[in-house]
Amino acid sequence: MGYASTRSVALTGLTAHVIDVEAEAVPGDAELHLVGLPESSVWPARARIRAAILNSGTAWPDARITVSVTPIIPPVYDAAADLALAVALLAAAGVIPPKRIAGRVFLGELALDGGIRPIRGVLPMVAAAVRAGISRVAVPADCAREAAQVPGTVVMPVTRLADVVDQLRHGTLRDQHDREPEPAPSSPFAVDLADVSGNQAARHALEVCAAGGHHLFLSGDGPATMLAERLPGILPPLTDKAARQVAEIHSLAGQSDRAPGITPPLSAPHHTETPTAIFGSVAGNRPGAVSLAHRGVLHLADAPEFARPVLDGLCRPMDSGQIHLAGQGRSVRYPARFTLVLDARPCQCPAGREECGCTPEARRRYRARLALLLSRVAVRAPVEWGDGQARASESSAAVAVRVLAARVRAAHRLADTPWRRNAEVPASDLRTRFPVVPEAAELLRSAVNTGLVTADGLPRLLRVAWTLADLRGADRPQLDDAAGALELWKGANGDGTR
Ligand SMILES: [Zn+2]
């Protein structure tokens, strides 16, 4: 009877592998064997393919057909190669000419009724196909716009298996003729710092965090969310490489509606989200909120309301810049290097309440849930609702200029190191390669001796002092920079208590 081959793409984490799909039909009972899929995926895949073909008006081939995938698909099969398996099978059986599927990539999950469902991760998959030298890619129509973002692709949008079979029998798959207009890239200043009145300390803290990559704690009842939403707009724009990586993560998470662009992302999960939604799922190969914040901002509003495993679990990605998920013999890593902004009201009472009966002890317990996280946060500031009489505030564009200048200064100093932002410099290098002036060191050491700052906190203060020096355009942190870092450390409570 016949032989046919085509190609598809499988994902492990964000890593895409182009796979060969080969089919062979020999005379015999009408049977379908799938080789190279994870054991648990074979039965459901066979059921989808069989139903989709039968519901597409094509008779089931009267042959014994083997479809094999090489290399073997990773432990998680997300059904994205269904369409490739089906067209290979039909070509081997003589329903469509094998030469019309060779050298093409087919992506799409089959529905039982023969429809072709959208899949997650189209962006990294299509990028892998182009890297492998394959430009013609069939993708579910709902994913066509996303696929077209990859330079060098010829996208063939498909909606139903019946249409695919019909087009391939009579010629080739239709290209996407009229490309839908790209959505306009989001403006970094869609929300502007000029909208936030008063809150000078918090605005200053936000600028310092943007310039140095430090994490931020906003304390009190005030416009914390407004400030957090405005942080991406004052961060330096993403490089092309970082923008591509951010887009691929969002694609894999099924959030391809994020407008493409160079503004760093903001991920703001609600406190009711599950740990899986926050950290990601190894079984579903789906990144979570911490990875959607990669290269951008993770904002936890009303942070003490989050589940304890979420709060404590954030320390790992904060320390390593990635999240490692493992389970059921599977393991995956997603990038998760973000600037954390967390805020907390004084107590659990609903926002805006004038007076409440919470004891100091109850307030302390409420905040104590954040202790582990706050040990990694060097910058704190109070927030409060303004009286509406405040003078017009400085715009995001004005602040962004200072932030960029400070970043350039830091990157220049760190040019022969692996780090680019002050927040990344290890404590040992702060002591040896990047010392502050003696008076500044003395001030911070006395803060440790008096117990105001923990020994662990000292390097965090030194990093902030460097950022303050960079914002001033100075070559090295002076006494004032150390004092400024100490003020930011004390933040809302004035005494450094958390
Ligand atoms: Zn209260």
Side-chain angles (χ1 to χ4, degrees):
M1 292 194 58
Y3 167 87
S5 75
T6 188
R7 309 185 92 178
S8 190
V9 185
L11 284 170
T12 315
L14 274 174
T15 310
H17 321 265
V18 174
I19 53 176
D20 289 311
V21 179
E22 294 175 289
E24 188 176 32
V26 295
D29 295 338
E31 281 179 30
L32 172 59
H33 296 275
L34 297 177
V35 182
L37 257 57
E39 187 71 35
S40 60
S41 306
V42 169
W43 190 87
R46 196 163 48 201
R48 284 195 303 274
I49 292 167
R50 181 182 283 276
I53 288 177
L54 292 174
N55 286 322
S56 297
T58 305
W60 187 258
D62 194 14
R64 183 185 154 88
I65 300 174
T66 303
V67 181
S68 83
V69 173
T70 47
I72 290 173
I73 283 190
V76 184
Y77 175 57
D78 51 13
D82 277 6
L83 179 60
L85 300 175
V87 296
L89 177 168
L90 292 170
V95 177
I96 50 184
K99 66 174 191 299
R100 295 198 180 136
I101 62 167
R104 308 260 192 278
V105 159
F106 287 83
L107 298 173
E109 174 182 347
L110 292 176
L112 298 182
D113 67 356
I116 298 168
R117 286 192 175 142
I119 52 175
R120 290 184 288 113
V122 160
L123 213 49
M125 288 177 167
V126 172
V130 170
R131 279 198 302 276
I134 306 163
S135 59
R136 299 183 69 83
V137 184
V139 302
D142 288 347
C143 305
R145 172 184 284 185
E146 198 180 336
Q149 285 178 36
V150 180
T153 41
V154 179
V155 177
M156 302 175 288
V158 291
T159 47
R160 303 196 58 77
L161 181 61
D163 299 340
V164 173
V165 172
D166 189 50
Q167 289 179 35
L168 288 172
R169 284 175 93 157
H170 299 104
T172 186
L173 284 183
R174 278 192 284 274
D175 300 348
Q176 189 171 27
H177 281 306
D178 304 313
R179 291 205 168 189
E180 296 171 62
E182 286 286 313
S186 55
S187 161
F189 309 131
V191 289
D192 200 293
L193 271 175
D195 308 333
V196 184
S197 65
N199 288 284
Q200 284 310 316
R203 294 169 60 96
H204 171 60
L206 197 72
E207 179 173 338
V208 171
C209 291
H214 313 287
H215 304 302
L216 173 64
F217 176 51
L218 296 170
S219 173
D221 192 6
T225 296
M226 287 180 77
L227 286 162
E229 285 170 346
R230 283 153 180 78
L231 180 52
I234 61 169
L235 289 172
L238 298 174
T239 61
D240 286 351
K241 190 176 166 205
R244 264 199 308 279
Q245 190 188 28
V246 166
E248 291 191 354
I249 294 169
H250 281 73
S251 168
L252 184 56
Q255 300 203 359
S256 51
D257 49 345
R258 178 183 187 265
I262 52 174
T263 305
L266 170 74
S267 173
H270 191 257
H271 63 73
T272 53
E273 298 276 17
T274 61
T276 303
I278 305 282
F279 297 116
S281 152
V282 63
N285 194 22
R286 189 190 286 264
V290 294
S291 295
L292 293 173
H294 180 59
R295 303 275 179 195
V297 178
L298 180 68
H299 176 219
L300 303 187
D302 281 329
E305 301 288 338
F306 280 77
R308 199 59 184 266
V310 169
L311 293 174
D312 293 352
L314 281 170
C315 295
R316 299 270 298 272
M318 284 169 81
D319 293 344
S320 67
Q322 59 177 349
I323 185 97
H324 180 210
L325 303 171
Q328 299 164 12
R330 302 162 181 178
S331 156
V332 68
R333 275 172 215 280
Y334 300 119
R337 189 174 299 287
F338 50 80
T339 296
L340 178 70
V341 178
L342 65 168
D343 64 68
R345 287 176 287 112
C347 65
Q348 216 158 0
C349 297
R353 181 176 290 192
E354 283 288 305
E355 289 191 9
C356 74
C358 293
T359 62
E361 173 59 17
R363 290 175 172 224
R364 199 197 57 75
R365 269 205 314 274
Y366 186 61
R367 286 286 175 86
R369 296 169 60 85
L370 302 178
L372 202 56
L373 264 190
L374 286 182
S375 70
R376 286 163 172 77
V377 175
V379 178
R380 299 154 227 269
V383 280
E384 58 185 13
W385 294 112
D387 56 8
Q389 304 292 315
R391 284 184 300 118
S393 303
E394 205 179 15
S395 71
S396 289
V399 178
V401 168
R402 288 197 299 270
V403 167
L404 186 61
R407 282 280 188 112
V408 167
R409 183 169 272 276
H412 183 70
R413 178 173 61 251
L414 299 170
D416 57 348
T417 74
W419 318 294
R420 291 295 168 267
R421 306 177 303 166
N422 291 326
E424 298 164 11
V425 180
S428 56
D429 288 75
L430 290 167
R431 279 195 302 274
T432 54
R433 298 174 70 176
F434 305 111
V436 299
V437 299
E439 311 87 80
E442 182 52 40
L443 176 71
L444 297 181
R445 238 190 330 270
S446 68
V448 174
N449 291 340
T450 57
L452 180 61
V453 178
T454 59
D456 281 356
L458 182 59
R460 298 182 198 284
L461 277 163
L462 290 167
R463 294 178 190 121
V464 174
W466 269 105
T467 300
L468 290 171
D470 286 334
L471 281 166
R472 283 195 304 118
D475 287 339
R476 195 173 168 195
Q478 304 292 317
L479 185 59
D480 281 354
D481 300 312
L486 208 49
E487 284 306 307
L488 287 166
W489 174 269
K490 293 183 202 166
N493 303 320
D495 57 358
T497 55
R498 304 147 188 206

